[in-house]
């Protein structure tokens, strides 16, 4: 820096990351999610570095410049590796008890999901087991899942309720989320999904269940500040467009931002409704109409695409991501982690998105970082590597970003830094730190 030979005193920081073959910053306009060609612009810095202090990124740039301006006791050299923002998973059903491997076998043998659901399996089986599970049991189960997510580079995860379907059990699940957010390094963004399925006891009078969601669950969940979003499984035979609108409007009146499980199994008009109601996101979108997709683009509704869900349903159908990108819809990608789609790993979601939806690795990276951060309304804090943002950083043991999607089925994570703390270090065995003290 100094041409006179005298070097200026270097500022002391907590962690320096230096010598990344590629530092994928995703720096740019954080006001809006990236659309169209912007999804390919990664803001990559070759031989990049960054400085972290008190949980925040203080500088990003060329490694040589960073090393001249800052010093730290903890210097992480990332030669031959790449550095990315921590992955954001904007769609999970994190909290449930039990498992459904028997149903998986039925699907392998050709059964359709809606048949499994109408025979008392699917969501309703998980509801039964989750109602029986205690608060502590659910916390325990979910912490292990968050460990796996963090180990695979996810530093923020949205979580949906929806396996309780009584006021008491939905509140229990939302309380579990709050506890997880306190206990675990991964930040948990809570979504109320009381309208996930019609519970058995309301099968003959579903309107009464919608009344319960609107008049009891939403007021109680928001009174305790337990949710940021309200979501509805809008689908033929589950919640109609009318019921979905009613629930999301009620949620909005209580300060919950709308999300919709839309057009997953049939074309019901969920995408259109998401645009009409000003939803933050519409999710799945396998069967959405062109009009619905265009309406989403006009209103800036984010499409959260979930290729792992398509993969696990084995129907061979995936959302038309290329068309959505052409129409100018911002795309985010999530796992849809749930007991019928058991995946905690956003790296594998990127691989699915590249192989089955023809997203380029760069588009898929944008969709799992900055656009996913927008999908949970946290893009001012996370989703890119820029001075002032939270220091949520992953180091991947690959030479460039095109290895994402290309090399799949193994964990590429070398290190994870969450809130400025090294929480996963796979280079050093036994260095993984998952749990933090409540703050
Ligand atoms: Fe889902």
């Amino acid at each position: 820096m100094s041409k006179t030979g005298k070097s200026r005193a270097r500022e002391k920081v907590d962690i320096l990351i230096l010598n990344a073959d590629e530092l994928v910053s995703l720096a740019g306009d954080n006001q809006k999610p990236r659309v169209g060609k912007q999804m390919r612009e990664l803001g990559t810095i070759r031989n990049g570095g960054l400085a972290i202090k008190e949980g925040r990124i203080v500088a990003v740039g060329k490694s040589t410049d960073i090393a001249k301006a800052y010093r730290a006791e903890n210097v992480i050299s990332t030669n031959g590796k790449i550095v990315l923002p921590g992955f954001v998973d904007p769609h999970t059903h994190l909290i449930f008890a039990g498992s459904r491997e028997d149903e998986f076998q039925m699907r392998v043998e050709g059964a359709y999901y809606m048949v499994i659901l109408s025979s008392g399996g699917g969501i309703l089986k998980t509801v039964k087991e989750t109602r029986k599970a205690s608060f502590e049991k659910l916390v325990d189960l979910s912490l292990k899942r968050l460990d796996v997510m963090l180990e695979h580079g996810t530093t923020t995860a949205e979580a949906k309720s929806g396996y309780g379907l009584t006021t008491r059990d939905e509140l229990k699940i939302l309380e579990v989320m709050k506890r997880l957010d306190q206990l675990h390094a991964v930040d948990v963004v809570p979504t109320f999904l009381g309208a996930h399925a019609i519970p058995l006891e309301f099968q003959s009078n579903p309107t009464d269940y919608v009344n319960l969601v609107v008049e009891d669950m939403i007021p109680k969940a928001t009174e305790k500040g337990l949710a940021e979003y309200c979501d509805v499984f809008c689908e033929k035979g589950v919640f109609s467009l009318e019921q979905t609108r009613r629930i999301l409007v009620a949620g909005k009146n209580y300060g919950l931002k709308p999300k919709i499980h839309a057009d997953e199994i049939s074309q019901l008009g969920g995408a259109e409704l998401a645009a009409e109601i000003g939803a933050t996101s519409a999710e799945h979108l396998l069967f959405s109409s062109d009009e619905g997709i265009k309406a989403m683009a006009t209103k800036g509704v984010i499409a959260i695409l979930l290729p792992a869900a398509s993969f696990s349903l084995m129907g061979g159908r995936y959302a038309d991501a290329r068309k959505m990108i052409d129409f100018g819809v911002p795309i985010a990608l999530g796992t849809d982690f749930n007991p019928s789609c058991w995946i905690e790993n956003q790296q594998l979601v990127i691989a699915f998105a590249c192989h089955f939806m023809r997203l380029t690795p760069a588009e898929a990276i944008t969709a799992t970082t900055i656009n996913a951060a927008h999908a949970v309304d946290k893009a001012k804090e996370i989703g890119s590597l820029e001075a002032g943002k939270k220091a949520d950083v992953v180091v991947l043991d690959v030479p460039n970003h095109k290895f994402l999607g290309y090399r799949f089925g193994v964990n590429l994570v070398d290190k994870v830094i969450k809130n400025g703390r090294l929480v996963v270090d796979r280079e050093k065995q036994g260095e993984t730190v998952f749990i933090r003290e409540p703050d």
Side-chain angles (χ1 to χ4, degrees):
M1 288 189 144
S2 161
K3 284 180 183 165
T4 62
K6 281 184 200 165
S7 63
R8 225 175 43 191
R10 293 181 299 163
E11 185 188 338
K12 190 168 186 310
V13 294
D14 300 329
I15 299 179
L16 279 182
I17 299 179
L18 299 175
N19 308 320
D21 278 25
E22 288 184 356
L23 187 143
V24 178
S25 75
L26 278 305
D29 175 16
N30 292 320
Q31 301 303 313
K32 281 185 177 171
R34 316 278 159 89
V35 295
K37 289 205 169 64
Q38 295 168 345
M39 288 190 68
R40 296 177 184 232
E41 293 162 13
L42 298 181
T44 301
I45 303 168
R46 287 186 200 285
N47 200 9
L50 63 82
I52 294 168
K53 191 175 183 180
E54 288 162 5
R56 299 267 156 187
I57 297 168
V58 292
V60 182
K62 284 276 183 200
S63 190
T64 44
D65 295 337
I66 298 291
K68 278 179 198 157
Y70 299 93
R71 65 190 167 88
E73 267 160 40
N74 192 355
V75 179
I76 297 170
S77 181
T78 52
N79 255 322
K81 297 171 186 166
I82 67 171
V83 176
L84 290 167
F87 294 118
V88 177
D89 189 342
H91 183 134
T92 85
H93 305 255
L94 180 68
I95 295 140
F96 58 86
S99 58
R100 305 217 302 259
E101 64 279 19
D102 294 342
E103 194 182 292
F104 168 65
Q105 183 162 328
M106 285 169 73
R107 288 207 306 277
V108 169
E109 292 174 335
Y112 285 110
Y113 177 75
M114 291 313 261
V115 175
I116 295 169
L117 184 64
S118 60
S119 67
I123 292 174
L124 297 176
K125 178 172 185 277
T126 303
V127 167
K128 214 174 181 179
E129 292 178 274
T130 307
R131 283 178 180 175
K132 270 191 269 172
S134 67
F135 173 87
E136 292 75 18
K137 173 81 182 166
L138 290 172
V139 168
D140 258 22
L141 289 169
S142 310
L143 283 172
K144 291 193 185 106
R145 296 164 192 164
L146 287 173
D147 287 349
V148 181
M149 287 184 179
L150 188 64
E151 222 171 3
H152 288 83
T154 296
T155 46
T156 299
E158 184 254 18
K160 301 174 193 295
S161 68
Y163 293 116
L165 310 186
T166 63
T167 302
R168 181 183 149 268
D169 291 299
E170 285 296 306
L171 291 177
K172 174 178 76 178
I173 293 168
L174 292 170
E175 296 273 13
V176 169
M177 288 176 198
K178 188 176 166 189
R179 186 76 185 126
L180 294 172
D181 188 53
Q182 292 168 340
L183 284 177
H184 204 279
V186 173
D187 286 323
V188 176
V189 180
T191 295
F192 167 69
L193 177 59
H196 192 197
I198 310 277
L200 277 177
E201 59 275 20
F202 284 94
Q203 295 284 345
S204 55
N205 46 347
T207 307
D208 289 353
Y209 185 66
V210 176
N211 292 340
L212 182 72
V213 169
V214 166
E215 291 161 14
D216 198 45
M217 292 186 191
I218 289 175
K220 285 185 178 148
T222 49
E223 186 192 304
K224 296 188 169 188
L226 291 174
E228 291 182 29
Y229 289 94
C230 182
D231 194 348
V232 177
F233 188 21
C234 179
E235 189 57 59
K236 214 186 254 174
V238 193
F239 294 94
S240 69
L241 278 178
E242 256 327 297
Q243 291 169 327
T244 303
R245 186 183 287 110
R246 190 177 156 216
I247 293 164
L248 293 179
V249 167
K252 257 176 124 173
N253 291 338
Y254 280 89
L256 299 178
K257 293 169 274 187
K259 286 177 172 284
I260 307 184
H261 275 66
D263 307 321
E264 179 181 4
I265 298 162
S266 61
Q267 190 187 105
L268 202 66
E272 287 88 337
L273 178 60
E276 174 201 313
I277 205 160
T280 303
S281 57
E283 328 202 344
H284 289 286
L285 304 170
L286 269 64
F287 290 88
S288 298
S289 69
D290 284 6
E291 294 69 42
I293 296 169
K294 282 177 188 158
M296 283 176 58
T298 307
K299 291 291 183 68
V301 179
I302 298 170
I304 299 183
L305 305 183
L306 308 159
S310 294
F311 183 81
S312 78
L313 274 175
M314 296 177 230
R317 183 157 183 147
Y318 289 78
D320 195 342
R322 291 258 54 99
K323 185 194 274 180
M324 293 179 198
I325 290 173
D326 286 348
F327 285 4
V329 177
I331 307 284
L333 289 165
T335 56
D336 199 17
F337 172 80
N338 75 70
S340 89
C341 174
W342 199 305
I343 170 177
E344 294 96 335
N345 179 2
Q346 281 281 61
Q347 298 167 55
L348 190 56
V349 169
I350 289 174
F352 288 158
C354 294
H355 286 83
F356 298 121
M357 297 173 159
R358 304 300 171 110
L359 259 60
T360 64
E363 289 169 336
I365 290 167
T366 300
T368 47
T369 55
I370 189 68
N371 276 9
H374 277 287
V376 293
D377 206 11
K378 305 272 182 278
K380 290 197 175 77
E381 281 286 281
I382 55 172
S384 62
L385 301 177
E386 297 177 82
K389 279 197 165 180
K390 265 193 190 188
D392 291 1
V393 185
V394 293
V395 180
L396 301 183
D397 192 5
V398 289
N400 64 64
H401 75 272
K402 290 178 187 162
F403 269 71
L404 273 157
Y406 162 63
R407 185 176 173 200
F408 60 92
V410 291
N411 187 5
L412 304 177
V413 163
D414 174 57
K415 290 178 178 62
V416 181
I417 290 159
K418 174 65 190 171
N419 284 330
R421 268 184 64 193
L422 184 61
V423 286
V424 175
D425 190 350
R426 297 181 73 232
E427 207 173 31
K428 289 185 200 160
Q429 291 292 326
E431 284 287 305
T432 307
V433 185
F434 289 118
I435 312 297
R436 66 176 156 90
E437 296 294 302
D439 49 19

